Amino acid sequence: DAGVTQSPTHLIKTRGQHVTLRCSPISGHKSVSWYQQVLGQGPQFIFQYYEKEERGRGNFPDRFSARQFPNYSSELNVNALLLGDSALYLCASSSGTSSYNEQFFGPGTRLTVL
Amino acid sequence: GEDVEQSLFLSVREGDSSVINCTYTDSSSTYLYWYKQEPGAGLQLLTYIFSNMDMKQDQRLTVLLNKKDKHLSLRIADTQTGDSAIYFCALPRATNKLIFGTGTLLAVQP
């Protein structure tokens, strides 16, 4: 079985541009969460989607948005990119939203904003 | 916001034991997790402990939980070079949103 996949692996953008990151969860998983990991820090929660509905949102500006599709894959969109948005963006999938549902992480998308 | 703190760096020799520490402010989690992150790879769940336990052993890994002091530790016995990575403690909140610690870089010297 394939694990969580993310695309692209790496991305370079300039300030003011927008970016779309993609995530495919493990087959059968209906929950997808997004995390931002700035270099030297722990991952910070951005969004969680379950059954195509937003279930949680972290302390991020409205420039960040996400959605989940009927096949449970997900996109994270970031508008008006800032230098500070440079980070590793991690996607995690799980079968549910309880704390006993293990979250499986993808390898991440490395975003560099110049 | 809540704080989950870890020491930044730990260096040990191969074969020695490693102890990675984590302190937190909000003790409402039912589970407490340890994740491992290797270069170029995503986060891998290493082990976890229920909040009503004091200790859990899993092969070379021992997790200790002191709820009174809000302190969590991960001990790796017989540390190997393959254990070199960044280790994060993580506490789940509502809807299983994870709050991660700052991460500890473990360097294992041969």
Side-chain angles (χ1 to χ4, degrees):
Chain A
D1 253 352
V4 178
T5 59
Q6 293 185 244
S7 62
T9 307
H10 297 86
L11 203 51
I12 299 175
K13 292 285 189 177
T14 56
R15 281 177 296 175
Q17 287 188 312
H18 79 274
V19 69
T20 297
L21 310 181
R22 295 177 175 83
C23 171
S24 292
I26 290 171
S27 177
H29 283 188
K30 298 180 180 179
S31 175
V32 169
S33 298
W34 287 94
Y35 291 81
Q36 180 197 63
Q37 186 178 14
V38 173
L39 193 62
Q41 297 182 18
Q44 299 288 316
F45 172 78
I46 310 175
F47 283 111
Q48 184 193 50
Y49 277 78
Y50 179 72
E51 289 277 18
K52 301 180 287 293
E53 290 188 3
E54 183 183 302
R55 290 298 187 95
R57 184 184 183 113
N59 188 23
F60 280 81
D62 291 343
R63 299 184 297 108
F64 289 75
S65 64
R67 55 181 176 165
Q68 187 176 33
F69 298 99
N71 66 353
Y72 304 112
S73 67
S74 178
E75 282 182 355
L76 174 70
N77 295 283
V78 187
N79 293 324
L81 285 167
L82 303 174
L83 295 180
D85 295 331
S86 295
L88 179 68
Y89 288 84
L90 295 164
C91 172
S93 80
S94 63
S95 55
T97 59
S98 296
S99 57
Y100 56 78
N101 294 128
E102 182 179 346
Q103 295 194 48
F104 295 83
F105 283 83
T109 293
R110 172 76 60 188
L111 172 64
T112 302
V113 182
L114 302 176
Chain B
E2 57 184 303
D3 289 325
V4 183
E5 298 288 338
Q6 300 178 236
S7 50
L8 285 180
F9 182 72
L10 176 65
S11 180
V12 299
R13 291 196 177 276
E14 194 172 18
D16 287 349
S17 291
S18 308
V19 180
I20 300 170
N21 296 301
C22 171
T23 58
Y24 53 93
T25 53
D26 185 334
S27 56
S28 62
S29 294
T30 304
Y31 296 75
L32 296 93
Y33 298 107
W34 282 103
Y35 281 85
K36 176 182 181 182
Q37 187 175 40
E38 295 178 276
L43 291 160
Q44 172 196 356
L45 179 64
L46 268 184
T47 188
Y48 65 91
I49 188 168
F50 291 105
S51 60
N52 62 357
M53 297 171 66
D54 298 325
M55 185 181 84
K56 178 183 178 183
Q57 187 142 6
D58 186 358
Q59 300 182 339
R60 292 191 297 122
L61 305 177
T62 302
V63 180
L64 295 177
L65 175 60
N66 182 328
K67 291 189 70 176
K68 175 177 170 290
D69 293 340
K70 297 181 183 178
H71 182 267
L72 180 72
S73 69
L74 173 70
R75 178 178 180 269
I76 305 173
D78 187 26
T79 312
Q80 303 297 307
T81 54
D83 295 323
S84 293
I86 303 175
Y87 291 80
F88 294 94
C89 58
L91 282 64
R93 293 288 176 251
T95 70
N96 209 13
K97 150 190 165 180
L98 291 172
I99 306 298
F100 284 89
T102 45
T104 300
L105 175 61
L106 174 64
V108 182
Q109 311 300 324

